[in-house]
Amino acid sequence: GIIDNNGGADIFLYQRSTGSISLVSRSHNNLIATANSFSAPTSISSDGEWVLFQSYGTDIVHGVTDGNFAYDVFLFQRSTGATSLVSRSASNLTNVANSYSTPTAITDDGEWTLFSSSATDLVAGVSDSNGGNYDVFLYQNSTGEVSLVSRSVSGNGATANGTSFSTAISADGEWVLFKSNAIDLMSDVTDSNGSDDVFLYQRSSGEVSLVSHSAINSVTSANGSST
């Protein structure tokens, strides 16, 4: 009974105990129709309640205006069948962000979503100092708030001055692992490799630590690229 509107990839949930399959990436206009463009799954919460995915579809969430012609990040709740937009503009929560967003992972309870984005309007008051390159963000499910992880240590509300990509998040959402070629994520680090380094962000404190540091000096980046 499913109507396929996009001729591309869609997202499904399979329940092993019953053998039933349900459509996740569906149109809000017709729950037995796929979204109008292709979608790709990323992660699922440990209890199967939340499904994280990305999609080019523009008809997934009712009332959302999608004009970026790019991947956006969505969160599907299995028990209700509702889908929410994660990568949305801070100035208008019914608008998608103004550029590509790619989901990375979700915590065990579905409360925190980690994603990367080249959008510049995800967090109010943040200035983009890296030319629209990718940055790392956290979305809190219960509040709908988005926070910037890969930010400049200068405290001026700016993104870091290089490209950053998220890699993983701990089960409780306290720790975020990411890579970046930015040199202003920490105030006391000497970065002379001109390449990617590995960092660990602590959500409760907002502090960033350098993982891929020299064995000789813990505040000096290693002498090559690290991922």
Side-chain angles (χ1 to χ4, degrees), residues 105-185:
I106 192 171
T107 53
D108 276 1
D109 61 358
E111 175 66 356
W112 299 95
T113 293
L114 177 65
F115 68 102
S116 302
S117 180
S118 58
T120 60
D121 62 344
L122 284 159
V123 182
V126 168
S127 58
D128 194 305
S129 59
N130 58 26
N133 288 318
Y134 273 83
D135 303 297
V136 178
F137 298 89
L138 268 179
Y139 169 83
Q140 187 173 13
N141 192 8
S142 61
T143 65
E145 292 185 4
V146 175
S147 55
L148 174 64
V149 172
S150 55
R151 60 193 183 197
S152 171
V153 74
S154 63
N156 60 0
T159 64
N161 59 10
T163 301
S164 302
F165 280 102
S166 51
T167 303
I169 189 169
S170 61
D172 61 355
E174 175 68 359
W175 300 94
V176 171
L177 181 67
F178 68 101
K179 69 173 183 176
S180 181
N181 60 20
I183 60 173
D184 64 342
L185 285 159

Side-chain angles (χ1 to χ4, degrees), residues 8 12 14 17 29 31 40 49 63 65 76-77 82 95 109 125 127 131 139-140 151 156 177 184 190-191 207 216 227:
F12 299 88
Y14 169 77
S17 60
N29 294 311
L31 298 185
E49 174 69 356
T65 302
F76 172 83
Q77 187 174 18
N95 283 359
D109 61 358
S127 58
Y139 169 83
Q140 187 173 13
R151 60 193 183 197
N156 60 0
L177 181 67
D184 64 342
T190 302
D191 190 333
E207 293 183 358
I216 300 171
T227 302

